[in-house]
Amino acid sequence: MLSAQKNEQEVLVSTNPARGYEILGEVYVSSSEEIQAKVSAARKAQKEWWKMGLDARITHLRKLEAIFKAHRDELIQAPIVEAGVTRDLSTGLADSSEESFAWNLDHAREALASETLHEDENTIVEAVYEPYGVGAAIVPWNFLYPSVNHTVIQPLLAGNTMVMKYSEETPLFGKFIEELVEKADLPEGVLTFVHGDGQVGAELADQDIDFICFTGSYATGQKLYEKAAGKFIPIINELGGSSPGIVFEDADIDAIVEDIFWARFLNTAQFCDGLKRLLVHESLASELTEKLVKFTKSKVVGDPQNEGTELGPLIAERQVVKLERQLEDAMNKGANILCGGKRPEGIKGAYFELTLLNNIKPDMDVWHDEVFGPILPIVTFKTYDEAIDMANDNIYGLSAYIYTKDKELANKTISDLEAGTVTVHGANPYGPYSPFGGYKRSGLGRTGGIRGFRDVAQLKTVARVK
């Protein structure tokens, strides 16, 4: 989003990427003094928040859950206008957010309960989970409502206090969440917000904090990792991905075309664990490509506030420009455009046509970089080993997709893939019970599920004499 000056205080200007970047509103950027004050308040609140006990924390957060539900319609509408999310997707994200919040409240006692490690006639040894203290949560713009549940609810239940920052691309949503949290009347300092760009995030990470929860690019995650290392504090880094999808020769093409499409192009291909490189056995390549092109061309891209729109814009002009550079690199190195390949005519905003490519080479940006927009490169393979080598030929390891009817082949592939989440034949792995995170440069730590609770709590071993 654009930055400007207003009464000598910097502001973020929110625009609508679907309607020619019309101005939606402004949010003041948090000053250095405000960032420091929010962290100090979190520090002051943390001990009492922990001492009140888990049951009391659950009670407080159930009030926040109720407020989110009461404002469900606004939480659905806001991403449509500010981030270009379609109504169907925004509604689905609201459903998953509510499910996640409820699951965390219902399973916090199980996840954070003390565990008996050893017991004999004289002693009992237990594992006890305690908070780290004050956490900084820095989240992106692509899945706005889920981010608050995904990033701060488990740490809060574990007894931490949190200072949160949304992306500068969606400042109005961040401000709205802050207002809803204030309505919940949590103890002062337990969950607060700062607003701004990467500089504000860097300043937040420089404060007196005890851990960092970050979702975003590898480049930013690496910088935050260095800051965490300098402080000797933990970081949960949920970073980028260039996830492969492997279509083996026994796959049922008609049964998988739609799943492949949405695995790549959901939210106009702006999600970290989307299928970003499609590997197809050479015997199926012609038929699958033809049917995938036909299905892709049938989708309606446009203003998500319009009836019938299936996919919206990218988040900002800069994303379109980056996508054009990645496509230009591929074309200069010999890639073929099967469909799409440019900005659509007759519509103003951050739009780009749904694009399929083949004749891909390993030195192309669309192969080795993360492509955060609607481009899907397609390559063929002959042998299993070739498919696995190409699938793992990437610095990322967030997720992977397998298409085969052979269960033994699927199990072997699962073992050989370097990925934090593997999906077989369109099964959905993304419930609130599932830990999420990646291998290699796709991140550190996990969010969600029982494991997510454990990664935002520190372990104390306690031995007692009976």
PDB file of all heavy atoms in Angstrom, residues 30 34-35 38-39 64 68 137 139 148 152 156 162-166 173-182 186 189-196 200 204:
ATOM      1  N   SER A  30       2.324   2.924  13.090  1.00  0.00           N
ATOM      2  CA  SER A  30       2.747   2.968  14.492  1.00  0.00           C
ATOM      3  C   SER A  30       4.138   3.579  14.601  1.00  0.00           C
ATOM      4  O   SER A  30       5.058   3.186  13.876  1.00  0.00           O
ATOM      5  CB  SER A  30       2.750   1.563  15.093  1.00  0.00           C
ATOM      6  OG  SER A  30       1.456   0.993  15.051  1.00  0.00           O
ATOM      7  N   GLU A  34       5.206   4.042  20.033  1.00  0.00           N
ATOM      8  CA  GLU A  34       4.014   3.209  20.202  1.00  0.00           C
ATOM      9  C   GLU A  34       4.378   1.732  20.204  1.00  0.00           C
ATOM     10  O   GLU A  34       3.839   0.944  20.996  1.00  0.00           O
ATOM     11  CB  GLU A  34       3.013   3.492  19.080  1.00  0.00           C
ATOM     12  CG  GLU A  34       1.723   2.693  19.213  1.00  0.00           C
ATOM     13  CD  GLU A  34       0.766   2.917  18.067  1.00  0.00           C
ATOM     14  OE1 GLU A  34       1.046   3.778  17.198  1.00  0.00           O
ATOM     15  OE2 GLU A  34      -0.268   2.219  18.030  1.00  0.00           O
ATOM     16  N   ILE A  35       5.273   1.330  19.313  1.00  0.00           N
ATOM     17  CA  ILE A  35       5.701  -0.075  19.268  1.00  0.00           C
ATOM     18  C   ILE A  35       6.307  -0.479  20.602  1.00  0.00           C
ATOM     19  O   ILE A  35       5.969  -1.524  21.171  1.00  0.00           O
ATOM     20  CB  ILE A  35       6.713  -0.284  18.128  1.00  0.00           C
ATOM     21  CG1 ILE A  35       6.063   0.006  16.769  1.00  0.00           C
ATOM     22  CG2 ILE A  35       7.266  -1.705  18.152  1.00  0.00           C
ATOM     23  CD1 ILE A  35       7.048   0.103  15.621  1.00  0.00           C
ATOM     24  N   LYS A  38       3.591  -0.790  23.270  1.00  0.00           N
ATOM     25  CA  LYS A  38       2.769  -2.005  23.161  1.00  0.00           C
ATOM     26  C   LYS A  38       3.515  -3.220  23.721  1.00  0.00           C
ATOM     27  O   LYS A  38       2.926  -4.060  24.425  1.00  0.00           O
ATOM     28  CB  LYS A  38       2.394  -2.238  21.692  1.00  0.00           C
ATOM     29  CG  LYS A  38       1.468  -1.193  21.086  1.00  0.00           C
ATOM     30  CD  LYS A  38       0.066  -1.304  21.626  1.00  0.00           C
ATOM     31  CE  LYS A  38      -0.860  -0.248  21.029  1.00  0.00           C
ATOM     32  NZ  LYS A  38      -1.189  -0.482  19.620  1.00  0.00           N
ATOM     33  N   VAL A  39       4.787  -3.315  23.427  1.00  0.00           N
ATOM     34  CA  VAL A  39       5.573  -4.436  23.945  1.00  0.00           C
ATOM     35  C   VAL A  39       5.725  -4.326  25.459  1.00  0.00           C
ATOM     36  O   VAL A  39       5.630  -5.333  26.185  1.00  0.00           O
ATOM     37  CB  VAL A  39       6.939  -4.504  23.253  1.00  0.00           C
ATOM     38  CG1 VAL A  39       7.818  -5.580  23.888  1.00  0.00           C
ATOM     39  CG2 VAL A  39       6.768  -4.793  21.760  1.00  0.00           C
ATOM     40  N   LEU A  64     -13.911 -13.307  22.958  1.00  0.00           N
ATOM     41  CA  LEU A  64     -13.399 -12.843  21.672  1.00  0.00           C
ATOM     42  C   LEU A  64     -13.985 -13.681  20.537  1.00  0.00           C
ATOM     43  O   LEU A  64     -14.358 -13.145  19.480  1.00  0.00           O
ATOM     44  CB  LEU A  64     -11.875 -12.918  21.651  1.00  0.00           C
ATOM     45  CG  LEU A  64     -11.194 -12.480  20.351  1.00  0.00           C
ATOM     46  CD1 LEU A  64     -11.548 -11.038  20.019  1.00  0.00           C
ATOM     47  CD2 LEU A  64      -9.680 -12.656  20.445  1.00  0.00           C
ATOM     48  N   PHE A  68     -16.083 -12.231  17.304  1.00  0.00           N
ATOM     49  CA  PHE A  68     -15.779 -12.548  15.907  1.00  0.00           C
ATOM     50  C   PHE A  68     -17.014 -13.106  15.198  1.00  0.00           C
ATOM     51  O   PHE A  68     -17.322 -12.718  14.063  1.00  0.00           O
ATOM     52  CB  PHE A  68     -14.638 -13.561  15.825  1.00  0.00           C
ATOM     53  CG  PHE A  68     -13.267 -12.980  16.038  1.00  0.00           C
ATOM     54  CD1 PHE A  68     -12.164 -13.803  16.142  1.00  0.00           C
ATOM     55  CD2 PHE A  68     -13.063 -11.611  16.140  1.00  0.00           C
ATOM     56  CE1 PHE A  68     -10.888 -13.281  16.324  1.00  0.00           C
ATOM     57  CE2 PHE A  68     -11.804 -11.076  16.328  1.00  0.00           C
ATOM     58  CZ  PHE A  68     -10.716 -11.911  16.426  1.00  0.00           C
ATOM     59  N   ALA A 137       3.849 -11.320  16.524  1.00  0.00           N
ATOM     60  CA  ALA A 137       3.204 -12.029  15.426  1.00  0.00           C
ATOM     61  C   ALA A 137       3.140 -11.110  14.213  1.00  0.00           C
ATOM     62  O   ALA A 137       2.574 -10.020  14.290  1.00  0.00           O
ATOM     63  CB  ALA A 137       1.794 -12.472  15.824  1.00  0.00           C
ATOM     64  N   VAL A 139       2.054 -11.140  10.180  1.00  0.00           N
ATOM     65  CA  VAL A 139       1.287 -11.992   9.265  1.00  0.00           C
ATOM     66  C   VAL A 139       1.051 -11.289   7.926  1.00  0.00           C
ATOM     67  O   VAL A 139       1.097 -10.065   7.838  1.00  0.00           O
ATOM     68  CB  VAL A 139      -0.058 -12.407   9.886  1.00  0.00           C
ATOM     69  CG1 VAL A 139       0.173 -13.192  11.171  1.00  0.00           C
ATOM     70  CG2 VAL A 139      -0.945 -11.198  10.148  1.00  0.00           C
ATOM     71  N   VAL A 148      -5.397 -14.438  12.376  1.00  0.00           N
ATOM     72  CA  VAL A 148      -5.448 -14.168  13.818  1.00  0.00           C
ATOM     73  C   VAL A 148      -5.606 -15.472  14.598  1.00  0.00           C
ATOM     74  O   VAL A 148      -4.978 -15.674  15.639  1.00  0.00           O
ATOM     75  CB  VAL A 148      -6.559 -13.149  14.154  1.00  0.00           C
ATOM     76  CG1 VAL A 148      -7.941 -13.711  13.894  1.00  0.00           C
ATOM     77  CG2 VAL A 148      -6.441 -12.685  15.605  1.00  0.00           C
ATOM     78  N   VAL A 152      -2.099 -16.292  16.749  1.00  0.00           N
ATOM     79  CA  VAL A 152      -2.022 -15.792  18.130  1.00  0.00           C
ATOM     80  C   VAL A 152      -2.867 -16.546  19.152  1.00  0.00           C
ATOM     81  O   VAL A 152      -2.593 -16.448  20.354  1.00  0.00           O
ATOM     82  CB  VAL A 152      -2.383 -14.280  18.208  1.00  0.00           C
ATOM     83  CG1 VAL A 152      -1.455 -13.471  17.347  1.00  0.00           C
ATOM     84  CG2 VAL A 152      -3.833 -14.027  17.851  1.00  0.00           C
ATOM     85  N   LEU A 156      -1.642 -17.376  23.037  1.00  0.00           N
ATOM     86  CA  LEU A 156      -2.383 -16.763  24.147  1.00  0.00           C
ATOM     87  C   LEU A 156      -2.887 -17.817  25.118  1.00  0.00           C
ATOM     88  O   LEU A 156      -2.790 -17.654  26.347  1.00  0.00           O
ATOM     89  CB  LEU A 156      -3.557 -15.942  23.602  1.00  0.00           C
ATOM     90  CG  LEU A 156      -3.206 -14.660  22.846  1.00  0.00           C
ATOM     91  CD1 LEU A 156      -4.458 -14.053  22.224  1.00  0.00           C
ATOM     92  CD2 LEU A 156      -2.530 -13.641  23.765  1.00  0.00           C
ATOM     93  N   MET A 162       0.749 -11.212  23.259  1.00  0.00           N
ATOM     94  CA  MET A 162       1.149 -11.076  21.867  1.00  0.00           C
ATOM     95  C   MET A 162       0.964  -9.648  21.366  1.00  0.00           C
ATOM     96  O   MET A 162      -0.024  -8.981  21.706  1.00  0.00           O
ATOM     97  CB  MET A 162       0.310 -12.010  20.977  1.00  0.00           C
ATOM     98  CG  MET A 162       0.403 -13.493  21.339  1.00  0.00           C
ATOM     99  SD  MET A 162       2.059 -14.197  21.085  1.00  0.00           S
ATOM    100  CE  MET A 162       2.217 -14.098  19.302  1.00  0.00           C
ATOM    101  N   VAL A 163       1.917  -9.222  20.535  1.00  0.00           N
ATOM    102  CA  VAL A 163       1.791  -7.981  19.770  1.00  0.00           C
ATOM    103  C   VAL A 163       1.793  -8.378  18.304  1.00  0.00           C
ATOM    104  O   VAL A 163       2.726  -9.032  17.832  1.00  0.00           O
ATOM    105  CB  VAL A 163       2.935  -6.999  20.064  1.00  0.00           C
ATOM    106  CG1 VAL A 163       2.715  -5.696  19.289  1.00  0.00           C
ATOM    107  CG2 VAL A 163       3.049  -6.722  21.558  1.00  0.00           C
ATOM    108  N   MET A 164       0.753  -7.965  17.573  1.00  0.00           N
ATOM    109  CA  MET A 164       0.514  -8.477  16.228  1.00  0.00           C
ATOM    110  C   MET A 164       0.578  -7.361  15.194  1.00  0.00           C
ATOM    111  O   MET A 164       0.126  -6.243  15.444  1.00  0.00           O
ATOM    112  CB  MET A 164      -0.858  -9.164  16.171  1.00  0.00           C
ATOM    113  CG  MET A 164      -1.170  -9.865  14.865  1.00  0.00           C
ATOM    114  SD  MET A 164      -2.738 -10.785  14.986  1.00  0.00           S
ATOM    115  CE  MET A 164      -2.674 -11.717  13.457  1.00  0.00           C
ATOM    116  N   LYS A 165       1.112  -7.698  14.003  1.00  0.00           N
ATOM    117  CA  LYS A 165       1.122  -6.757  12.883  1.00  0.00           C
ATOM    118  C   LYS A 165       0.630  -7.447  11.617  1.00  0.00           C
ATOM    119  O   LYS A 165       1.163  -8.473  11.203  1.00  0.00           O
ATOM    120  CB  LYS A 165       2.519  -6.196  12.614  1.00  0.00           C
ATOM    121  CG  LYS A 165       2.524  -5.085  11.554  1.00  0.00           C
ATOM    122  CD  LYS A 165       3.915  -4.735  11.078  1.00  0.00           C
ATOM    123  CE  LYS A 165       4.382  -5.610   9.935  1.00  0.00           C
ATOM    124  NZ  LYS A 165       3.658  -5.330   8.655  1.00  0.00           N
ATOM    125  N   TYR A 166      -0.403  -6.856  11.005  1.00  0.00           N
ATOM    126  CA  TYR A 166      -0.856  -7.297   9.689  1.00  0.00           C
ATOM    127  C   TYR A 166      -0.030  -6.612   8.600  1.00  0.00           C
ATOM    128  O   TYR A 166       0.651  -5.613   8.836  1.00  0.00           O
ATOM    129  CB  TYR A 166      -2.335  -6.974   9.494  1.00  0.00           C
ATOM    130  CG  TYR A 166      -3.270  -8.066   9.932  1.00  0.00           C
ATOM    131  CD1 TYR A 166      -3.785  -8.096  11.226  1.00  0.00           C
ATOM    132  CD2 TYR A 166      -3.644  -9.083   9.056  1.00  0.00           C
ATOM    133  CE1 TYR A 166      -4.649  -9.102  11.629  1.00  0.00           C
ATOM    134  CE2 TYR A 166      -4.506 -10.094   9.454  1.00  0.00           C
ATOM    135  CZ  TYR A 166      -5.006 -10.097  10.736  1.00  0.00           C
ATOM    136  OH  TYR A 166      -5.847 -11.103  11.133  1.00  0.00           O
ATOM    137  N   PHE A 173      -8.028  -4.020   7.445  1.00  0.00           N
ATOM    138  CA  PHE A 173      -8.418  -5.259   8.113  1.00  0.00           C
ATOM    139  C   PHE A 173      -7.697  -5.392   9.448  1.00  0.00           C
ATOM    140  O   PHE A 173      -8.298  -5.789  10.457  1.00  0.00           O
ATOM    141  CB  PHE A 173      -8.123  -6.473   7.237  1.00  0.00           C
ATOM    142  CG  PHE A 173      -8.737  -7.741   7.775  1.00  0.00           C
ATOM    143  CD1 PHE A 173     -10.019  -8.100   7.399  1.00  0.00           C
ATOM    144  CD2 PHE A 173      -8.061  -8.557   8.664  1.00  0.00           C
ATOM    145  CE1 PHE A 173     -10.602  -9.252   7.909  1.00  0.00           C
ATOM    146  CE2 PHE A 173      -8.629  -9.706   9.172  1.00  0.00           C
ATOM    147  CZ  PHE A 173      -9.915 -10.050   8.799  1.00  0.00           C
ATOM    148  N   GLY A 174      -6.405  -5.080   9.470  1.00  0.00           N
ATOM    149  CA  GLY A 174      -5.669  -5.132  10.730  1.00  0.00           C
ATOM    150  C   GLY A 174      -6.274  -4.220  11.781  1.00  0.00           C
ATOM    151  O   GLY A 174      -6.390  -4.583  12.958  1.00  0.00           O
ATOM    152  N   LYS A 175      -6.690  -3.031  11.350  1.00  0.00           N
ATOM    153  CA  LYS A 175      -7.313  -2.087  12.285  1.00  0.00           C
ATOM    154  C   LYS A 175      -8.657  -2.609  12.765  1.00  0.00           C
ATOM    155  O   LYS A 175      -9.020  -2.453  13.939  1.00  0.00           O
ATOM    156  CB  LYS A 175      -7.489  -0.730  11.592  1.00  0.00           C
ATOM    157  CG  LYS A 175      -7.871   0.396  12.540  1.00  0.00           C
ATOM    158  CD  LYS A 175      -6.757   0.690  13.530  1.00  0.00           C
ATOM    159  CE  LYS A 175      -7.117   1.852  14.439  1.00  0.00           C
ATOM    160  NZ  LYS A 175      -6.072   2.083  15.468  1.00  0.00           N
ATOM    161  N   PHE A 176      -9.410  -3.248  11.876  1.00  0.00           N
ATOM    162  CA  PHE A 176     -10.717  -3.794  12.251  1.00  0.00           C
ATOM    163  C   PHE A 176     -10.566  -4.909  13.283  1.00  0.00           C
ATOM    164  O   PHE A 176     -11.309  -4.962  14.271  1.00  0.00           O
ATOM    165  CB  PHE A 176     -11.432  -4.310  11.000  1.00  0.00           C
ATOM    166  CG  PHE A 176     -12.792  -4.882  11.269  1.00  0.00           C
ATOM    167  CD1 PHE A 176     -13.760  -4.151  11.958  1.00  0.00           C
ATOM    168  CD2 PHE A 176     -13.124  -6.150  10.835  1.00  0.00           C
ATOM    169  CE1 PHE A 176     -15.028  -4.681  12.204  1.00  0.00           C
ATOM    170  CE2 PHE A 176     -14.381  -6.692  11.070  1.00  0.00           C
ATOM    171  CZ  PHE A 176     -15.333  -5.947  11.759  1.00  0.00           C
ATOM    172  N   ILE A 177      -9.612  -5.798  13.075  1.00  0.00           N
ATOM    173  CA  ILE A 177      -9.368  -6.861  14.058  1.00  0.00           C
ATOM    174  C   ILE A 177      -8.982  -6.247  15.400  1.00  0.00           C
ATOM    175  O   ILE A 177      -9.432  -6.705  16.468  1.00  0.00           O
ATOM    176  CB  ILE A 177      -8.277  -7.824  13.559  1.00  0.00           C
ATOM    177  CG1 ILE A 177      -8.793  -8.670  12.391  1.00  0.00           C
ATOM    178  CG2 ILE A 177      -7.786  -8.730  14.689  1.00  0.00           C
ATOM    179  CD1 ILE A 177      -9.844  -9.693  12.776  1.00  0.00           C
ATOM    180  N   GLU A 178      -8.162  -5.221  15.380  1.00  0.00           N
ATOM    181  CA  GLU A 178      -7.787  -4.542  16.621  1.00  0.00           C
ATOM    182  C   GLU A 178      -9.023  -4.012  17.347  1.00  0.00           C
ATOM    183  O   GLU A 178      -9.149  -4.154  18.575  1.00  0.00           O
ATOM    184  CB  GLU A 178      -6.830  -3.392  16.311  1.00  0.00           C
ATOM    185  CG  GLU A 178      -6.378  -2.630  17.550  1.00  0.00           C
ATOM    186  CD  GLU A 178      -5.429  -1.497  17.221  1.00  0.00           C
ATOM    187  OE1 GLU A 178      -5.514  -0.933  16.102  1.00  0.00           O
ATOM    188  OE2 GLU A 178      -4.600  -1.161  18.083  1.00  0.00           O
ATOM    189  N   GLU A 179      -9.958  -3.439  16.615  1.00  0.00           N
ATOM    190  CA  GLU A 179     -11.182  -2.906  17.230  1.00  0.00           C
ATOM    191  C   GLU A 179     -12.040  -4.019  17.822  1.00  0.00           C
ATOM    192  O   GLU A 179     -12.634  -3.856  18.893  1.00  0.00           O
ATOM    193  CB  GLU A 179     -11.963  -2.110  16.187  1.00  0.00           C
ATOM    194  CG  GLU A 179     -11.262  -0.827  15.758  1.00  0.00           C
ATOM    195  CD  GLU A 179     -11.865  -0.205  14.506  1.00  0.00           C
ATOM    196  OE1 GLU A 179     -12.802  -0.824  13.934  1.00  0.00           O
ATOM    197  OE2 GLU A 179     -11.403   0.880  14.102  1.00  0.00           O
ATOM    198  N   LEU A 180     -12.113  -5.153  17.141  1.00  0.00           N
ATOM    199  CA  LEU A 180     -12.882  -6.279  17.682  1.00  0.00           C
ATOM    200  C   LEU A 180     -12.235  -6.823  18.952  1.00  0.00           C
ATOM    201  O   LEU A 180     -12.940  -7.190  19.909  1.00  0.00           O
ATOM    202  CB  LEU A 180     -13.004  -7.393  16.633  1.00  0.00           C
ATOM    203  CG  LEU A 180     -13.800  -7.062  15.369  1.00  0.00           C
ATOM    204  CD1 LEU A 180     -13.922  -8.310  14.494  1.00  0.00           C
ATOM    205  CD2 LEU A 180     -15.181  -6.521  15.711  1.00  0.00           C
ATOM    206  N   VAL A 181     -10.918  -6.892  18.974  1.00  0.00           N
ATOM    207  CA  VAL A 181     -10.213  -7.356  20.180  1.00  0.00           C
ATOM    208  C   VAL A 181     -10.480  -6.407  21.348  1.00  0.00           C
ATOM    209  O   VAL A 181     -10.678  -6.846  22.488  1.00  0.00           O
ATOM    210  CB  VAL A 181      -8.702  -7.484  19.894  1.00  0.00           C
ATOM    211  CG1 VAL A 181      -7.920  -7.711  21.183  1.00  0.00           C
ATOM    212  CG2 VAL A 181      -8.442  -8.631  18.925  1.00  0.00           C
ATOM    213  N   GLU A 182     -10.516  -5.114  21.069  1.00  0.00           N
ATOM    214  CA  GLU A 182     -10.808  -4.152  22.131  1.00  0.00           C
ATOM    215  C   GLU A 182     -12.209  -4.353  22.686  1.00  0.00           C
ATOM    216  O   GLU A 182     -12.441  -4.182  23.896  1.00  0.00           O
ATOM    217  CB  GLU A 182     -10.641  -2.729  21.591  1.00  0.00           C
ATOM    218  CG  GLU A 182      -9.177  -2.359  21.329  1.00  0.00           C
ATOM    219  CD  GLU A 182      -9.026  -1.026  20.611  1.00  0.00           C
ATOM    220  OE1 GLU A 182     -10.064  -0.447  20.200  1.00  0.00           O
ATOM    221  OE2 GLU A 182      -7.874  -0.577  20.445  1.00  0.00           O
ATOM    222  N   LEU A 186     -10.256  -7.936  26.779  1.00  0.00           N
ATOM    223  CA  LEU A 186      -9.174  -8.733  27.351  1.00  0.00           C
ATOM    224  C   LEU A 186      -8.375  -7.871  28.319  1.00  0.00           C
ATOM    225  O   LEU A 186      -8.369  -6.646  28.211  1.00  0.00           O
ATOM    226  CB  LEU A 186      -8.245  -9.239  26.241  1.00  0.00           C
ATOM    227  CG  LEU A 186      -8.807 -10.251  25.241  1.00  0.00           C
ATOM    228  CD1 LEU A 186      -7.797 -10.488  24.126  1.00  0.00           C
ATOM    229  CD2 LEU A 186      -9.162 -11.551  25.926  1.00  0.00           C
ATOM    230  N   GLY A 189      -3.024  -5.156  27.463  1.00  0.00           N
ATOM    231  CA  GLY A 189      -1.699  -5.604  27.059  1.00  0.00           C
ATOM    232  C   GLY A 189      -1.610  -7.047  26.607  1.00  0.00           C
ATOM    233  O   GLY A 189      -0.561  -7.469  26.109  1.00  0.00           O
ATOM    234  N   VAL A 190      -2.684  -7.821  26.750  1.00  0.00           N
ATOM    235  CA  VAL A 190      -2.626  -9.249  26.401  1.00  0.00           C
ATOM    236  C   VAL A 190      -2.500  -9.454  24.896  1.00  0.00           C
ATOM    237  O   VAL A 190      -1.691 -10.262  24.425  1.00  0.00           O
ATOM    238  CB  VAL A 190      -3.855  -9.988  26.967  1.00  0.00           C
ATOM    239  CG1 VAL A 190      -3.990 -11.374  26.336  1.00  0.00           C
ATOM    240  CG2 VAL A 190      -3.735 -10.120  28.475  1.00  0.00           C
ATOM    241  N   LEU A 191      -3.300  -8.740  24.109  1.00  0.00           N
ATOM    242  CA  LEU A 191      -3.227  -8.820  22.654  1.00  0.00           C
ATOM    243  C   LEU A 191      -3.371  -7.419  22.088  1.00  0.00           C
ATOM    244  O   LEU A 191      -4.446  -6.817  22.173  1.00  0.00           O
ATOM    245  CB  LEU A 191      -4.318  -9.736  22.095  1.00  0.00           C
ATOM    246  CG  LEU A 191      -4.403  -9.832  20.556  1.00  0.00           C
ATOM    247  CD1 LEU A 191      -3.077 -10.280  19.959  1.00  0.00           C
ATOM    248  CD2 LEU A 191      -5.537 -10.764  20.134  1.00  0.00           C
ATOM    249  N   THR A 192      -2.286  -6.885  21.536  1.00  0.00           N
ATOM    250  CA  THR A 192      -2.300  -5.543  20.975  1.00  0.00           C
ATOM    251  C   THR A 192      -1.768  -5.575  19.544  1.00  0.00           C
ATOM    252  O   THR A 192      -1.229  -6.596  19.093  1.00  0.00           O
ATOM    253  CB  THR A 192      -1.460  -4.572  21.827  1.00  0.00           C
ATOM    254  OG1 THR A 192      -0.115  -5.076  21.920  1.00  0.00           O
ATOM    255  CG2 THR A 192      -2.045  -4.427  23.223  1.00  0.00           C
ATOM    256  N   PHE A 193      -1.896  -4.441  18.857  1.00  0.00           N
ATOM    257  CA  PHE A 193      -1.569  -4.388  17.443  1.00  0.00           C
ATOM    258  C   PHE A 193      -0.714  -3.168  17.125  1.00  0.00           C
ATOM    259  O   PHE A 193      -0.872  -2.104  17.724  1.00  0.00           O
ATOM    260  CB  PHE A 193      -2.854  -4.326  16.606  1.00  0.00           C
ATOM    261  CG  PHE A 193      -3.668  -5.580  16.683  1.00  0.00           C
ATOM    262  CD1 PHE A 193      -4.477  -5.827  17.789  1.00  0.00           C
ATOM    263  CD2 PHE A 193      -3.616  -6.526  15.676  1.00  0.00           C
ATOM    264  CE1 PHE A 193      -5.224  -6.991  17.881  1.00  0.00           C
ATOM    265  CE2 PHE A 193      -4.348  -7.690  15.758  1.00  0.00           C
ATOM    266  CZ  PHE A 193      -5.159  -7.933  16.863  1.00  0.00           C
ATOM    267  N   VAL A 194       0.185  -3.358  16.183  1.00  0.00           N
ATOM    268  CA  VAL A 194       0.904  -2.250  15.575  1.00  0.00           C
ATOM    269  C   VAL A 194       0.650  -2.322  14.074  1.00  0.00           C
ATOM    270  O   VAL A 194       0.279  -3.365  13.528  1.00  0.00           O
ATOM    271  CB  VAL A 194       2.412  -2.297  15.871  1.00  0.00           C
ATOM    272  CG1 VAL A 194       2.661  -2.116  17.359  1.00  0.00           C
ATOM    273  CG2 VAL A 194       3.040  -3.598  15.385  1.00  0.00           C
ATOM    274  N   HIS A 195       0.838  -1.181  13.393  1.00  0.00           N
ATOM    275  CA  HIS A 195       0.478  -1.084  11.988  1.00  0.00           C
ATOM    276  C   HIS A 195       1.621  -0.462  11.204  1.00  0.00           C
ATOM    277  O   HIS A 195       2.235   0.508  11.659  1.00  0.00           O
ATOM    278  CB  HIS A 195      -0.793  -0.243  11.818  1.00  0.00           C
ATOM    279  CG  HIS A 195      -1.930  -0.710  12.668  1.00  0.00           C
ATOM    280  ND1 HIS A 195      -2.740  -1.763  12.314  1.00  0.00           N
ATOM    281  CD2 HIS A 195      -2.378  -0.281  13.886  1.00  0.00           C
ATOM    282  CE1 HIS A 195      -3.639  -1.963  13.270  1.00  0.00           C
ATOM    283  NE2 HIS A 195      -3.442  -1.068  14.227  1.00  0.00           N
ATOM    284  N   GLY A 196       1.890  -1.034  10.030  1.00  0.00           N
ATOM    285  CA  GLY A 196       2.952  -0.473   9.209  1.00  0.00           C
ATOM    286  C   GLY A 196       3.523  -1.497   8.249  1.00  0.00           C
ATOM    287  O   GLY A 196       3.006  -2.603   8.092  1.00  0.00           O
ATOM    288  N   VAL A 200       8.244  -1.447  10.363  1.00  0.00           N
ATOM    289  CA  VAL A 200       7.553  -1.599  11.647  1.00  0.00           C
ATOM    290  C   VAL A 200       7.721  -3.024  12.160  1.00  0.00           C
ATOM    291  O   VAL A 200       7.948  -3.252  13.354  1.00  0.00           O
ATOM    292  CB  VAL A 200       6.061  -1.227  11.508  1.00  0.00           C
ATOM    293  CG1 VAL A 200       5.281  -1.605  12.764  1.00  0.00           C
ATOM    294  CG2 VAL A 200       5.908   0.268  11.235  1.00  0.00           C
ATOM    295  N   LEU A 204       9.462  -4.077  15.632  1.00  0.00           N
ATOM    296  CA  LEU A 204       8.780  -4.941  16.606  1.00  0.00           C
ATOM    297  C   LEU A 204       9.690  -6.100  17.004  1.00  0.00           C
ATOM    298  O   LEU A 204       9.807  -6.438  18.191  1.00  0.00           O
ATOM    299  CB  LEU A 204       7.476  -5.467  15.999  1.00  0.00           C
ATOM    300  CG  LEU A 204       6.688  -6.475  16.835  1.00  0.00           C
ATOM    301  CD1 LEU A 204       6.326  -5.909  18.202  1.00  0.00           C
ATOM    302  CD2 LEU A 204       5.428  -6.910  16.084  1.00  0.00           C
TER     303      LEU A 204
END
